[in-house]
Amino acid sequence: MPVDFCPSVPRLDLNALQQAISDSTVAIVAVNFLGYGEDLGAIAQLCADRQITLIDDSAQSYPPASSYGAEADFSILSFGRGKPINLTGGGALLVRKDHMAELDRGLECYPLKHLRAGRVWQIRRAIFNALLQNRICYGLLERSPFLHLGETRLKPMAPIYRLELNRDLVLSGAQCLQELAVQQRIYVKELLRLEALEWKLINVPASGGKASNTGDLSVLRFAFLAPSRTIRDQAVCALNDRGIGANDFYGKPVARIPGVEDLVRRGGAPNAEDFAARLLTLPAHEGVESQDVAAVVGVLGNLITGETPGDGARCHGPEIP
Ligand SMILES: *Cc1c(COP(=O)(O)O)cnc(C)c1O
């Protein structure tokens, strides 16, 4: 049986999780969802009595929450496209000190590669950044059915290798996130006004458990729960018409992601279904300007109060010139 979410939050139902543990459970992966973290302390307790490894999947949030409390045995970071520190590829496995010795031996079998910030890398990064800044362009891309931009599907894992990362690139990425957090806090004040209109902002920056002590955590995208799927869908259309790259993120619970369906046992996860049906995510990167935030507040507010709904007819694919 899949383990469901708690109602209206991207967090595992701990009772269901406990019941799902069996003799063949080797690890629990606690996923930080756009800055909204799991209760790592509670899951660590479930793991401790049973010798289960706890992995903190912090691909969507930097720094990882478990770097404060050391609840997880391992944390993983992604440096891929669209992640907090974007080096267009690679990642990091953070290992708790008590596992260092075993891991040093275990990792040596994987070949070592170098990630050079060479010309190809610079060009890819320049294109990506140009897309971020040019909302019209991104809006068109987003509506293009050929590119499957943003669609998630399971890909078979490539062979594992170790990557020699450029330390300065990682550190400068982390530095940018600190500055972004300051900008986001200003925007959040505006976005929170929507909570009076049935929109719920899920990932207020710095809501990630213990990590909130730092006070300057950024979020990868702003995530709202709409009052209904219909209003969510209308919001995605209306915002994309204005060049604001809104989306429904994964669009469905993990058990229904293409490629995953056949790997998991069937069973209901109604809270996760409901969450996926109402989730709306918005860009939160440094290219977002205050007039974009004002537009978001206007569009989402009007969808509830019924004023000038977006032109739905234009939402079904790109216009053919
Ligand atoms: C992107 C992502 C990953 C995978 O990261 P890659 O670097 O693309 O392999 C894992 N977990 C979560 C939650 C992610 O968002």
Side-chain angles (χ1 to χ4, degrees), residues 186-197 199 201 224 239 242 244 280 282 289-305 307:
I186 299 166
Y187 292 162
V188 160
K189 283 202 188 116
E190 291 302 306
L191 294 174
L192 280 173
R193 287 167 44 194
L194 288 163
E195 298 225 324
L197 290 169
W199 290 95
L201 183 62
F224 277 100
L239 291 169
R242 286 163 179 76
I244 291 170
L280 170 75
L282 305 168
E289 294 172 8
S290 54
Q291 61 257 39
D292 301 322
V293 177
V296 166
V297 173
V299 168
L300 298 190
N302 289 345
L303 281 171
I304 306 293
T305 58
E307 289 161 42

PDB file of all heavy atoms in Angstrom, residues 186-197 199 201 224 239 242 244 280 282 289-305 307:
ATOM      1  N   ILE A 186       9.963  39.564   1.102  1.00  0.00           N
ATOM      2  CA  ILE A 186       9.148  40.741   0.757  1.00  0.00           C
ATOM      3  C   ILE A 186       7.921  40.303  -0.038  1.00  0.00           C
ATOM      4  O   ILE A 186       6.798  40.731   0.229  1.00  0.00           O
ATOM      5  CB  ILE A 186      10.001  41.746  -0.056  1.00  0.00           C
ATOM      6  CG1 ILE A 186      11.181  42.218   0.786  1.00  0.00           C
ATOM      7  CG2 ILE A 186       9.156  42.918  -0.526  1.00  0.00           C
ATOM      8  CD1 ILE A 186      12.261  42.940  -0.002  1.00  0.00           C
ATOM      9  N   TYR A 187       8.139  39.389  -1.000  1.00  0.00           N
ATOM     10  CA  TYR A 187       7.028  38.934  -1.835  1.00  0.00           C
ATOM     11  C   TYR A 187       5.994  38.139  -1.037  1.00  0.00           C
ATOM     12  O   TYR A 187       4.794  38.212  -1.298  1.00  0.00           O
ATOM     13  CB  TYR A 187       7.553  38.083  -2.991  1.00  0.00           C
ATOM     14  CG  TYR A 187       8.350  38.867  -3.999  1.00  0.00           C
ATOM     15  CD1 TYR A 187       9.199  38.232  -4.890  1.00  0.00           C
ATOM     16  CD2 TYR A 187       8.239  40.259  -4.070  1.00  0.00           C
ATOM     17  CE1 TYR A 187       9.925  38.957  -5.822  1.00  0.00           C
ATOM     18  CE2 TYR A 187       8.967  40.985  -4.987  1.00  0.00           C
ATOM     19  CZ  TYR A 187       9.817  40.329  -5.860  1.00  0.00           C
ATOM     20  OH  TYR A 187      10.526  41.044  -6.772  1.00  0.00           O
ATOM     21  N   VAL A 188       6.492  37.378  -0.071  1.00  0.00           N
ATOM     22  CA  VAL A 188       5.582  36.529   0.704  1.00  0.00           C
ATOM     23  C   VAL A 188       4.548  37.367   1.443  1.00  0.00           C
ATOM     24  O   VAL A 188       3.392  36.974   1.567  1.00  0.00           O
ATOM     25  CB  VAL A 188       6.385  35.633   1.667  1.00  0.00           C
ATOM     26  CG1 VAL A 188       5.522  35.122   2.796  1.00  0.00           C
ATOM     27  CG2 VAL A 188       6.979  34.471   0.902  1.00  0.00           C
ATOM     28  N   LYS A 189       4.964  38.531   1.898  1.00  0.00           N
ATOM     29  CA  LYS A 189       4.005  39.410   2.592  1.00  0.00           C
ATOM     30  C   LYS A 189       2.816  39.697   1.686  1.00  0.00           C
ATOM     31  O   LYS A 189       1.672  39.707   2.135  1.00  0.00           O
ATOM     32  CB  LYS A 189       4.690  40.726   2.970  1.00  0.00           C
ATOM     33  CG  LYS A 189       5.587  40.595   4.160  1.00  0.00           C
ATOM     34  CD  LYS A 189       5.815  41.949   4.838  1.00  0.00           C
ATOM     35  CE  LYS A 189       6.874  41.839   5.899  1.00  0.00           C
ATOM     36  NZ  LYS A 189       8.076  42.625   5.617  1.00  0.00           N
ATOM     37  N   GLU A 190       3.089  39.938   0.400  1.00  0.00           N
ATOM     38  CA  GLU A 190       2.008  40.196  -0.562  1.00  0.00           C
ATOM     39  C   GLU A 190       1.190  38.924  -0.804  1.00  0.00           C
ATOM     40  O   GLU A 190      -0.034  38.939  -0.795  1.00  0.00           O
ATOM     41  CB  GLU A 190       2.599  40.678  -1.899  1.00  0.00           C
ATOM     42  CG  GLU A 190       3.215  42.053  -1.835  1.00  0.00           C
ATOM     43  CD  GLU A 190       2.203  43.102  -1.384  1.00  0.00           C
ATOM     44  OE1 GLU A 190       1.143  43.186  -2.007  1.00  0.00           O
ATOM     45  OE2 GLU A 190       2.482  43.805  -0.385  1.00  0.00           O
ATOM     46  N   LEU A 191       1.909  37.825  -1.030  1.00  0.00           N
ATOM     47  CA  LEU A 191       1.220  36.576  -1.376  1.00  0.00           C
ATOM     48  C   LEU A 191       0.306  36.092  -0.246  1.00  0.00           C
ATOM     49  O   LEU A 191      -0.734  35.492  -0.495  1.00  0.00           O
ATOM     50  CB  LEU A 191       2.247  35.491  -1.727  1.00  0.00           C
ATOM     51  CG  LEU A 191       3.076  35.750  -2.995  1.00  0.00           C
ATOM     52  CD1 LEU A 191       4.157  34.696  -3.156  1.00  0.00           C
ATOM     53  CD2 LEU A 191       2.176  35.777  -4.239  1.00  0.00           C
ATOM     54  N   LEU A 192       0.717  36.366   0.984  1.00  0.00           N
ATOM     55  CA  LEU A 192      -0.084  35.892   2.118  1.00  0.00           C
ATOM     56  C   LEU A 192      -1.452  36.559   2.186  1.00  0.00           C
ATOM     57  O   LEU A 192      -2.366  36.045   2.829  1.00  0.00           O
ATOM     58  CB  LEU A 192       0.679  36.099   3.430  1.00  0.00           C
ATOM     59  CG  LEU A 192       1.741  35.035   3.737  1.00  0.00           C
ATOM     60  CD1 LEU A 192       2.558  35.417   4.958  1.00  0.00           C
ATOM     61  CD2 LEU A 192       1.108  33.659   3.915  1.00  0.00           C
ATOM     62  N   ARG A 193      -1.596  37.692   1.490  1.00  0.00           N
ATOM     63  CA  ARG A 193      -2.920  38.339   1.456  1.00  0.00           C
ATOM     64  C   ARG A 193      -3.948  37.412   0.815  1.00  0.00           C
ATOM     65  O   ARG A 193      -5.146  37.515   1.083  1.00  0.00           O
ATOM     66  CB  ARG A 193      -2.841  39.654   0.682  1.00  0.00           C
ATOM     67  CG  ARG A 193      -2.106  40.738   1.471  1.00  0.00           C
ATOM     68  CD  ARG A 193      -1.743  41.925   0.623  1.00  0.00           C
ATOM     69  NE  ARG A 193      -2.837  42.350  -0.253  1.00  0.00           N
ATOM     70  CZ  ARG A 193      -2.690  43.187  -1.279  1.00  0.00           C
ATOM     71  NH1 ARG A 193      -1.505  43.674  -1.546  1.00  0.00           N
ATOM     72  NH2 ARG A 193      -3.723  43.522  -2.019  1.00  0.00           N
ATOM     73  N   LEU A 194      -3.491  36.490  -0.025  1.00  0.00           N
ATOM     74  CA  LEU A 194      -4.408  35.570  -0.702  1.00  0.00           C
ATOM     75  C   LEU A 194      -5.018  34.549   0.264  1.00  0.00           C
ATOM     76  O   LEU A 194      -5.990  33.880  -0.075  1.00  0.00           O
ATOM     77  CB  LEU A 194      -3.682  34.849  -1.836  1.00  0.00           C
ATOM     78  CG  LEU A 194      -3.372  35.736  -3.046  1.00  0.00           C
ATOM     79  CD1 LEU A 194      -2.323  35.089  -3.931  1.00  0.00           C
ATOM     80  CD2 LEU A 194      -4.652  36.003  -3.833  1.00  0.00           C
ATOM     81  N   GLU A 195      -4.426  34.411   1.439  1.00  0.00           N
ATOM     82  CA  GLU A 195      -4.964  33.423   2.380  1.00  0.00           C
ATOM     83  C   GLU A 195      -6.364  33.819   2.848  1.00  0.00           C
ATOM     84  O   GLU A 195      -7.152  32.962   3.234  1.00  0.00           O
ATOM     85  CB  GLU A 195      -4.015  33.240   3.576  1.00  0.00           C
ATOM     86  CG  GLU A 195      -2.656  32.723   3.124  1.00  0.00           C
ATOM     87  CD  GLU A 195      -2.120  31.592   3.976  1.00  0.00           C
ATOM     88  OE1 GLU A 195      -2.346  31.605   5.187  1.00  0.00           O
ATOM     89  OE2 GLU A 195      -1.461  30.700   3.405  1.00  0.00           O
ATOM     90  N   ALA A 196      -6.675  35.110   2.777  1.00  0.00           N
ATOM     91  CA  ALA A 196      -8.031  35.552   3.118  1.00  0.00           C
ATOM     92  C   ALA A 196      -9.017  35.152   2.020  1.00  0.00           C
ATOM     93  O   ALA A 196     -10.221  35.237   2.202  1.00  0.00           O
ATOM     94  CB  ALA A 196      -8.049  37.067   3.311  1.00  0.00           C
ATOM     95  N   LEU A 197      -8.483  34.722   0.864  1.00  0.00           N
ATOM     96  CA  LEU A 197      -9.335  34.382  -0.283  1.00  0.00           C
ATOM     97  C   LEU A 197      -9.205  32.903  -0.654  1.00  0.00           C
ATOM     98  O   LEU A 197      -9.136  32.544  -1.831  1.00  0.00           O
ATOM     99  CB  LEU A 197      -8.969  35.261  -1.483  1.00  0.00           C
ATOM    100  CG  LEU A 197      -9.358  36.734  -1.348  1.00  0.00           C
ATOM    101  CD1 LEU A 197      -8.727  37.575  -2.446  1.00  0.00           C
ATOM    102  CD2 LEU A 197     -10.885  36.871  -1.402  1.00  0.00           C
ATOM    103  N   TRP A 199      -6.894  30.790  -0.780  1.00  0.00           N
ATOM    104  CA  TRP A 199      -5.634  30.216  -1.262  1.00  0.00           C
ATOM    105  C   TRP A 199      -4.745  29.974  -0.051  1.00  0.00           C
ATOM    106  O   TRP A 199      -4.656  30.835   0.821  1.00  0.00           O
ATOM    107  CB  TRP A 199      -4.923  31.185  -2.208  1.00  0.00           C
ATOM    108  CG  TRP A 199      -5.601  31.346  -3.523  1.00  0.00           C
ATOM    109  CD1 TRP A 199      -6.489  32.325  -3.858  1.00  0.00           C
ATOM    110  CD2 TRP A 199      -5.456  30.507  -4.660  1.00  0.00           C
ATOM    111  NE1 TRP A 199      -6.899  32.144  -5.150  1.00  0.00           N
ATOM    112  CE2 TRP A 199      -6.282  31.039  -5.674  1.00  0.00           C
ATOM    113  CE3 TRP A 199      -4.712  29.359  -4.935  1.00  0.00           C
ATOM    114  CZ2 TRP A 199      -6.380  30.457  -6.938  1.00  0.00           C
ATOM    115  CZ3 TRP A 199      -4.807  28.791  -6.189  1.00  0.00           C
ATOM    116  CH2 TRP A 199      -5.635  29.328  -7.174  1.00  0.00           C
ATOM    117  N   LEU A 201      -0.882  29.374   1.097  1.00  0.00           N
ATOM    118  CA  LEU A 201       0.544  29.316   0.752  1.00  0.00           C
ATOM    119  C   LEU A 201       1.186  28.255   1.633  1.00  0.00           C
ATOM    120  O   LEU A 201       1.186  28.367   2.855  1.00  0.00           O
ATOM    121  CB  LEU A 201       1.205  30.684   0.964  1.00  0.00           C
ATOM    122  CG  LEU A 201       2.674  30.798   0.579  1.00  0.00           C
ATOM    123  CD1 LEU A 201       2.891  30.550  -0.907  1.00  0.00           C
ATOM    124  CD2 LEU A 201       3.236  32.160   0.959  1.00  0.00           C
ATOM    125  N   PHE A 224       1.015  27.042  -3.718  1.00  0.00           N
ATOM    126  CA  PHE A 224      -0.304  27.340  -3.162  1.00  0.00           C
ATOM    127  C   PHE A 224      -1.206  26.126  -3.294  1.00  0.00           C
ATOM    128  O   PHE A 224      -1.090  25.370  -4.258  1.00  0.00           O
ATOM    129  CB  PHE A 224      -0.984  28.473  -3.949  1.00  0.00           C
ATOM    130  CG  PHE A 224      -0.569  29.853  -3.547  1.00  0.00           C
ATOM    131  CD1 PHE A 224       0.376  30.548  -4.291  1.00  0.00           C
ATOM    132  CD2 PHE A 224      -1.126  30.464  -2.433  1.00  0.00           C
ATOM    133  CE1 PHE A 224       0.752  31.834  -3.938  1.00  0.00           C
ATOM    134  CE2 PHE A 224      -0.753  31.746  -2.066  1.00  0.00           C
ATOM    135  CZ  PHE A 224       0.188  32.438  -2.817  1.00  0.00           C
ATOM    136  N   LEU A 239      -2.504  32.662 -15.415  1.00  0.00           N
ATOM    137  CA  LEU A 239      -1.163  33.176 -15.109  1.00  0.00           C
ATOM    138  C   LEU A 239      -0.224  32.976 -16.292  1.00  0.00           C
ATOM    139  O   LEU A 239       0.567  33.859 -16.620  1.00  0.00           O
ATOM    140  CB  LEU A 239      -0.605  32.497 -13.851  1.00  0.00           C
ATOM    141  CG  LEU A 239      -1.318  32.883 -12.548  1.00  0.00           C
ATOM    142  CD1 LEU A 239      -0.882  31.975 -11.408  1.00  0.00           C
ATOM    143  CD2 LEU A 239      -1.042  34.344 -12.194  1.00  0.00           C
ATOM    144  N   ARG A 242      -0.305  35.493 -18.880  1.00  0.00           N
ATOM    145  CA  ARG A 242       0.437  36.715 -18.550  1.00  0.00           C
ATOM    146  C   ARG A 242       1.936  36.449 -18.473  1.00  0.00           C
ATOM    147  O   ARG A 242       2.684  37.263 -17.938  1.00  0.00           O
ATOM    148  CB  ARG A 242      -0.073  37.284 -17.228  1.00  0.00           C
ATOM    149  CG  ARG A 242      -1.428  37.942 -17.372  1.00  0.00           C
ATOM    150  CD  ARG A 242      -2.095  38.129 -16.003  1.00  0.00           C
ATOM    151  NE  ARG A 242      -3.392  38.777 -16.142  1.00  0.00           N
ATOM    152  CZ  ARG A 242      -4.494  38.155 -16.585  1.00  0.00           C
ATOM    153  NH1 ARG A 242      -4.431  36.883 -16.943  1.00  0.00           N
ATOM    154  NH2 ARG A 242      -5.629  38.793 -16.684  1.00  0.00           N
ATOM    155  N   ILE A 244       3.557  34.368 -16.672  1.00  0.00           N
ATOM    156  CA  ILE A 244       4.076  33.916 -15.367  1.00  0.00           C
ATOM    157  C   ILE A 244       4.046  32.395 -15.382  1.00  0.00           C
ATOM    158  O   ILE A 244       2.992  31.801 -15.538  1.00  0.00           O
ATOM    159  CB  ILE A 244       3.220  34.494 -14.227  1.00  0.00           C
ATOM    160  CG1 ILE A 244       3.471  36.009 -14.160  1.00  0.00           C
ATOM    161  CG2 ILE A 244       3.569  33.817 -12.894  1.00  0.00           C
ATOM    162  CD1 ILE A 244       2.544  36.760 -13.268  1.00  0.00           C
ATOM    163  N   LEU A 280      -0.736  24.493  -6.940  1.00  0.00           N
ATOM    164  CA  LEU A 280      -0.320  25.468  -7.949  1.00  0.00           C
ATOM    165  C   LEU A 280       1.065  25.955  -7.551  1.00  0.00           C
ATOM    166  O   LEU A 280       1.260  26.380  -6.412  1.00  0.00           O
ATOM    167  CB  LEU A 280      -1.297  26.658  -7.953  1.00  0.00           C
ATOM    168  CG  LEU A 280      -0.871  27.867  -8.794  1.00  0.00           C
ATOM    169  CD1 LEU A 280      -1.067  27.582 -10.279  1.00  0.00           C
ATOM    170  CD2 LEU A 280      -1.661  29.110  -8.394  1.00  0.00           C
ATOM    171  N   LEU A 282       4.461  28.517  -8.481  1.00  0.00           N
ATOM    172  CA  LEU A 282       4.829  29.753  -9.184  1.00  0.00           C
ATOM    173  C   LEU A 282       6.325  29.980  -9.075  1.00  0.00           C
ATOM    174  O   LEU A 282       6.935  29.608  -8.069  1.00  0.00           O
ATOM    175  CB  LEU A 282       4.141  30.943  -8.506  1.00  0.00           C
ATOM    176  CG  LEU A 282       2.634  30.870  -8.350  1.00  0.00           C
ATOM    177  CD1 LEU A 282       2.158  31.964  -7.407  1.00  0.00           C
ATOM    178  CD2 LEU A 282       1.984  31.016  -9.706  1.00  0.00           C
ATOM    179  N   GLU A 289       9.676  39.875 -10.425  1.00  0.00           N
ATOM    180  CA  GLU A 289       9.649  41.273 -10.008  1.00  0.00           C
ATOM    181  C   GLU A 289       8.358  41.577  -9.247  1.00  0.00           C
ATOM    182  O   GLU A 289       7.404  40.804  -9.302  1.00  0.00           O
ATOM    183  CB  GLU A 289       9.771  42.176 -11.236  1.00  0.00           C
ATOM    184  CG  GLU A 289      11.129  42.015 -11.904  1.00  0.00           C
ATOM    185  CD  GLU A 289      11.225  42.736 -13.241  1.00  0.00           C
ATOM    186  OE1 GLU A 289      10.293  43.491 -13.582  1.00  0.00           O
ATOM    187  OE2 GLU A 289      12.230  42.526 -13.916  1.00  0.00           O
ATOM    188  N   SER A 290       8.346  42.748  -8.590  1.00  0.00           N
ATOM    189  CA  SER A 290       7.185  43.034  -7.736  1.00  0.00           C
ATOM    190  C   SER A 290       5.902  43.157  -8.558  1.00  0.00           C
ATOM    191  O   SER A 290       4.827  42.807  -8.068  1.00  0.00           O
ATOM    192  CB  SER A 290       7.429  44.278  -6.877  1.00  0.00           C
ATOM    193  OG  SER A 290       7.793  45.351  -7.704  1.00  0.00           O
ATOM    194  N   GLN A 291       6.009  43.588  -9.831  1.00  0.00           N
ATOM    195  CA  GLN A 291       4.760  43.657 -10.612  1.00  0.00           C
ATOM    196  C   GLN A 291       4.248  42.257 -10.959  1.00  0.00           C
ATOM    197  O   GLN A 291       3.045  42.066 -11.130  1.00  0.00           O
ATOM    198  CB  GLN A 291       4.898  44.512 -11.889  1.00  0.00           C
ATOM    199  CG  GLN A 291       5.901  44.034 -12.894  1.00  0.00           C
ATOM    200  CD  GLN A 291       7.168  44.892 -12.823  1.00  0.00           C
ATOM    201  OE1 GLN A 291       7.606  45.271 -11.731  1.00  0.00           O
ATOM    202  NE2 GLN A 291       7.745  45.197 -13.949  1.00  0.00           N
ATOM    203  N   ASP A 292       5.148  41.266 -11.040  1.00  0.00           N
ATOM    204  CA  ASP A 292       4.688  39.885 -11.241  1.00  0.00           C
ATOM    205  C   ASP A 292       3.890  39.417 -10.027  1.00  0.00           C
ATOM    206  O   ASP A 292       2.858  38.758 -10.154  1.00  0.00           O
ATOM    207  CB  ASP A 292       5.881  38.936 -11.432  1.00  0.00           C
ATOM    208  CG  ASP A 292       6.736  39.325 -12.630  1.00  0.00           C
ATOM    209  OD1 ASP A 292       6.155  39.739 -13.648  1.00  0.00           O
ATOM    210  OD2 ASP A 292       7.974  39.216 -12.537  1.00  0.00           O
ATOM    211  N   VAL A 293       4.420  39.753  -8.847  1.00  0.00           N
ATOM    212  CA  VAL A 293       3.741  39.339  -7.616  1.00  0.00           C
ATOM    213  C   VAL A 293       2.375  40.019  -7.526  1.00  0.00           C
ATOM    214  O   VAL A 293       1.371  39.390  -7.176  1.00  0.00           O
ATOM    215  CB  VAL A 293       4.614  39.672  -6.386  1.00  0.00           C
ATOM    216  CG1 VAL A 293       3.902  39.311  -5.095  1.00  0.00           C
ATOM    217  CG2 VAL A 293       5.935  38.917  -6.478  1.00  0.00           C
ATOM    218  N   ALA A 294       2.336  41.291  -7.905  1.00  0.00           N
ATOM    219  CA  ALA A 294       1.052  42.011  -7.902  1.00  0.00           C
ATOM    220  C   ALA A 294       0.081  41.352  -8.881  1.00  0.00           C
ATOM    221  O   ALA A 294      -1.106  41.184  -8.577  1.00  0.00           O
ATOM    222  CB  ALA A 294       1.272  43.477  -8.270  1.00  0.00           C
ATOM    223  N   ALA A 295       0.600  40.937 -10.051  1.00  0.00           N
ATOM    224  CA  ALA A 295      -0.269  40.272 -11.036  1.00  0.00           C
ATOM    225  C   ALA A 295      -0.803  38.959 -10.477  1.00  0.00           C
ATOM    226  O   ALA A 295      -1.985  38.634 -10.632  1.00  0.00           O
ATOM    227  CB  ALA A 295       0.505  40.027 -12.332  1.00  0.00           C
ATOM    228  N   VAL A 296       0.055  38.206  -9.797  1.00  0.00           N
ATOM    229  CA  VAL A 296      -0.367  36.928  -9.206  1.00  0.00           C
ATOM    230  C   VAL A 296      -1.479  37.171  -8.188  1.00  0.00           C
ATOM    231  O   VAL A 296      -2.524  36.509  -8.210  1.00  0.00           O
ATOM    232  CB  VAL A 296       0.833  36.222  -8.530  1.00  0.00           C
ATOM    233  CG1 VAL A 296       0.359  35.097  -7.622  1.00  0.00           C
ATOM    234  CG2 VAL A 296       1.808  35.700  -9.584  1.00  0.00           C
ATOM    235  N   VAL A 297      -1.257  38.148  -7.317  1.00  0.00           N
ATOM    236  CA  VAL A 297      -2.265  38.434  -6.282  1.00  0.00           C
ATOM    237  C   VAL A 297      -3.580  38.840  -6.937  1.00  0.00           C
ATOM    238  O   VAL A 297      -4.660  38.379  -6.541  1.00  0.00           O
ATOM    239  CB  VAL A 297      -1.755  39.527  -5.308  1.00  0.00           C
ATOM    240  CG1 VAL A 297      -2.847  39.959  -4.336  1.00  0.00           C
ATOM    241  CG2 VAL A 297      -0.536  39.016  -4.540  1.00  0.00           C
ATOM    242  N   GLY A 298      -3.491  39.645  -8.007  1.00  0.00           N
ATOM    243  CA  GLY A 298      -4.698  40.085  -8.705  1.00  0.00           C
ATOM    244  C   GLY A 298      -5.433  38.923  -9.357  1.00  0.00           C
ATOM    245  O   GLY A 298      -6.638  38.731  -9.143  1.00  0.00           O
ATOM    246  N   VAL A 299      -4.699  38.117 -10.122  1.00  0.00           N
ATOM    247  CA  VAL A 299      -5.324  37.014 -10.871  1.00  0.00           C
ATOM    248  C   VAL A 299      -5.930  35.985  -9.914  1.00  0.00           C
ATOM    249  O   VAL A 299      -7.086  35.571 -10.070  1.00  0.00           O
ATOM    250  CB  VAL A 299      -4.284  36.334 -11.794  1.00  0.00           C
ATOM    251  CG1 VAL A 299      -4.827  35.025 -12.343  1.00  0.00           C
ATOM    252  CG2 VAL A 299      -3.894  37.268 -12.941  1.00  0.00           C
ATOM    253  N   LEU A 300      -5.166  35.562  -8.918  1.00  0.00           N
ATOM    254  CA  LEU A 300      -5.664  34.520  -8.012  1.00  0.00           C
ATOM    255  C   LEU A 300      -6.828  35.046  -7.178  1.00  0.00           C
ATOM    256  O   LEU A 300      -7.789  34.314  -6.907  1.00  0.00           O
ATOM    257  CB  LEU A 300      -4.541  34.001  -7.103  1.00  0.00           C
ATOM    258  CG  LEU A 300      -3.360  33.326  -7.809  1.00  0.00           C
ATOM    259  CD1 LEU A 300      -2.445  32.650  -6.789  1.00  0.00           C
ATOM    260  CD2 LEU A 300      -3.814  32.310  -8.848  1.00  0.00           C
ATOM    261  N   GLY A 301      -6.746  36.297  -6.785  1.00  0.00           N
ATOM    262  CA  GLY A 301      -7.838  36.895  -6.025  1.00  0.00           C
ATOM    263  C   GLY A 301      -9.110  36.959  -6.848  1.00  0.00           C
ATOM    264  O   GLY A 301     -10.190  36.564  -6.384  1.00  0.00           O
ATOM    265  N   ASN A 302      -8.980  37.396  -8.110  1.00  0.00           N
ATOM    266  CA  ASN A 302     -10.163  37.528  -8.965  1.00  0.00           C
ATOM    267  C   ASN A 302     -10.824  36.194  -9.268  1.00  0.00           C
ATOM    268  O   ASN A 302     -12.036  36.129  -9.467  1.00  0.00           O
ATOM    269  CB  ASN A 302      -9.777  38.211 -10.287  1.00  0.00           C
ATOM    270  CG  ASN A 302      -9.467  39.678 -10.086  1.00  0.00           C
ATOM    271  OD1 ASN A 302      -9.804  40.251  -9.045  1.00  0.00           O
ATOM    272  ND2 ASN A 302      -8.826  40.292 -11.066  1.00  0.00           N
ATOM    273  N   LEU A 303     -10.041  35.142  -9.300  1.00  0.00           N
ATOM    274  CA  LEU A 303     -10.641  33.828  -9.560  1.00  0.00           C
ATOM    275  C   LEU A 303     -11.607  33.428  -8.441  1.00  0.00           C
ATOM    276  O   LEU A 303     -12.551  32.681  -8.669  1.00  0.00           O
ATOM    277  CB  LEU A 303      -9.547  32.760  -9.694  1.00  0.00           C
ATOM    278  CG  LEU A 303      -8.824  32.705 -11.047  1.00  0.00           C
ATOM    279  CD1 LEU A 303      -7.638  31.771 -10.973  1.00  0.00           C
ATOM    280  CD2 LEU A 303      -9.778  32.271 -12.151  1.00  0.00           C
ATOM    281  N   ILE A 304     -11.350  33.922  -7.243  1.00  0.00           N
ATOM    282  CA  ILE A 304     -12.246  33.604  -6.125  1.00  0.00           C
ATOM    283  C   ILE A 304     -13.420  34.574  -6.088  1.00  0.00           C
ATOM    284  O   ILE A 304     -14.569  34.178  -5.899  1.00  0.00           O
ATOM    285  CB  ILE A 304     -11.480  33.689  -4.773  1.00  0.00           C
ATOM    286  CG1 ILE A 304     -10.226  32.808  -4.799  1.00  0.00           C
ATOM    287  CG2 ILE A 304     -12.395  33.308  -3.617  1.00  0.00           C
ATOM    288  CD1 ILE A 304     -10.463  31.340  -4.872  1.00  0.00           C
ATOM    289  N   THR A 305     -13.116  35.852  -6.285  1.00  0.00           N
ATOM    290  CA  THR A 305     -14.194  36.839  -6.164  1.00  0.00           C
ATOM    291  C   THR A 305     -15.031  36.915  -7.435  1.00  0.00           C
ATOM    292  O   THR A 305     -16.063  37.577  -7.454  1.00  0.00           O
ATOM    293  CB  THR A 305     -13.618  38.238  -5.849  1.00  0.00           C
ATOM    294  OG1 THR A 305     -12.694  38.585  -6.901  1.00  0.00           O
ATOM    295  CG2 THR A 305     -12.901  38.257  -4.526  1.00  0.00           C
ATOM    296  N   GLU A 307     -14.291  38.138 -10.474  1.00  0.00           N
ATOM    297  CA  GLU A 307     -14.099  39.234 -11.429  1.00  0.00           C
ATOM    298  C   GLU A 307     -13.192  38.791 -12.573  1.00  0.00           C
ATOM    299  O   GLU A 307     -12.231  38.069 -12.355  1.00  0.00           O
ATOM    300  CB  GLU A 307     -13.442  40.438 -10.737  1.00  0.00           C
ATOM    301  CG  GLU A 307     -14.371  41.148  -9.770  1.00  0.00           C
ATOM    302  CD  GLU A 307     -13.591  42.007  -8.796  1.00  0.00           C
ATOM    303  OE1 GLU A 307     -12.649  42.674  -9.234  1.00  0.00           O
ATOM    304  OE2 GLU A 307     -13.917  41.967  -7.599  1.00  0.00           O
TER     305      GLU A 307
END
